[in-house]
């Protein structure tokens, strides 16, 4: 990875609020991370407008018309690689990625998930946390591996579940924390502090615990 800059490609499917948090973070505290492209699999994704407003190149690659997941992912990888990325960031990219795609970007592919992994992989995480009566909930940044929402954890934000929380109120509070920990993890990677080792995630050359770096509120 170049020491002076880290080219970041962001993949998204929707509103792009985590993209906006990354844009705001790089403007507020400039560092080596440089968002060099935003790619969406939906032409109507609002995140594309956020990127264009920030002067970031955008591209759209829609999956209908491809013969299967592998064909789409191969075209997506070719598009991404055209921007010479050091890091690929999933920011609400609503596609299950093929094993070949994940292996291609091993160690340079990050995702954020709205639960305290390994709890509640997949969808409807806030509802599931409320139905389980959990005292705590939160969000997780992790390296992406072939296991869905199962890669080594980098950082988790933990927040209390309030007695009067609804799915909507809990989701809103979790989003706020997502917008804090995702830019943090990207900055760590861009600065060369974070990497994926044979045994898991390493921060400053030290293994992170299984739960990642915890931030409590």
């Amino acid at each position: 990875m170049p020491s002076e800059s880290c080219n970041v490609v962001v993949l998204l499917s929707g509103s792009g609020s985590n993209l906006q948090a990354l844009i705001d973070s790089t403007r507020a505290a400039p560092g080596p991370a440089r968002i060099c492209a935003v790619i969406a699999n939906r032409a109507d994704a609002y995140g594309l407008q956020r990127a264009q407003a920030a002067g970031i190149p955008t591209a759209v690659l829609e999956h209908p018309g491809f013969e299967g997941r592998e064909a789409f992912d191969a075209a997506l990888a070719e598009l991404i690689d055209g921007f010479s990325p050091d890091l690929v960031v999933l920011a609400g990219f609503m596609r299950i990625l093929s094993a070949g795609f994940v292996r291609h970007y091993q160690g340079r592919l990050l995702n954020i998930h709205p639960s305290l992994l390994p709890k509640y992989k997949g969808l409807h995480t806030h509802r599931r946390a409320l139905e389980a009566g959990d005292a705590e909930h939160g969000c997780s940044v992790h390296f992406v591996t072939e296991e869905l929402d199962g890669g080594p954890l980098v950082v988790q934000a933990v927040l209390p579940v309030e007695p009067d929380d609804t799915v909507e109120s809990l989701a809103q509070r979790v989003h706020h924390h997502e917008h804090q920990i995702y830019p943090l993890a990207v900055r760590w990677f861009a600065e060369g502090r974070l990497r994926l080792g044979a045994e898991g995630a390493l921060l400053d050359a030290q293994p992170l615990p299984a739960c990642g770096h915890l931030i409590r509120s």
Side-chain angles (χ1 to χ4, degrees):
M1 180 192 307
S3 58
E4 68 277 5
S5 67
C6 174
N7 286 337
V8 180
V9 171
V10 178
L11 307 185
L12 55 78
S13 300
S15 71
S17 66
N18 272 303
L19 166 66
Q20 191 64 58
L22 292 168
I23 292 170
D24 294 345
S25 173
T26 57
R27 286 176 169 173
R34 171 182 170 269
I35 304 174
C36 60
V38 172
I39 300 172
N41 67 322
R42 294 175 55 99
D44 61 352
Y46 183 66
L48 294 169
Q49 296 182 43
R50 295 182 189 268
Q52 290 159 5
I56 299 169
T58 62
V60 176
L61 187 69
E62 295 184 296
H63 51 273
F66 285 91
E67 294 185 359
R69 191 185 314 279
E70 287 75 14
F72 173 80
D73 283 3
L76 179 61
E78 183 177 2
L79 178 59
I80 293 169
D81 288 348
F83 295 100
S84 301
D86 299 298
L87 177 65
V88 179
V89 170
L90 305 178
F93 189 62
M94 303 305 291
R95 294 276 302 173
I96 295 176
L97 299 168
S98 63
F101 183 94
V102 171
R103 285 194 298 269
H104 181 65
Y105 295 106
Q106 183 174 0
R108 52 193 181 118
L109 184 60
L110 290 176
N111 183 46
I112 192 159
H113 184 74
S115 79
L116 296 175
L117 292 171
K119 274 190 169 184
Y120 312 129
K121 299 177 181 181
L123 303 175
H124 310 300
T125 59
H126 312 307
R127 175 178 58 77
R128 291 156 70 190
L130 289 174
E131 289 177 349
D134 289 353
E136 293 182 325
H137 190 45
C139 47
S140 310
V141 177
H142 65 96
F143 281 104
V144 177
T145 63
E146 294 176 44
E147 179 186 355
L148 179 65
D149 297 330
L153 290 165
V154 173
V155 55
Q156 293 189 313
V158 184
L159 57 141
V161 177
E162 303 294 344
D164 60 346
D165 261 328
T166 63
V167 170
E168 291 75 19
S169 67
L170 189 56
Q172 184 175 13
R173 287 166 49 228
V174 169
H175 280 150
H176 173 74
H177 286 79
E178 288 181 20
H179 300 161
Q180 295 176 322
I181 66 170
Y182 218 1
L184 177 63
V186 169
R187 175 174 288 271
W188 284 345
F189 188 95
E191 292 174 344
R193 299 178 58 195
L194 173 67
R195 68 181 182 87
L196 180 62
E199 303 301 321
L202 303 172
L203 182 62
D204 296 329
Q206 298 299 313
L208 282 163
C211 60
H213 179 81
L214 289 182
I215 298 175
R216 294 186 175 273
S217 65

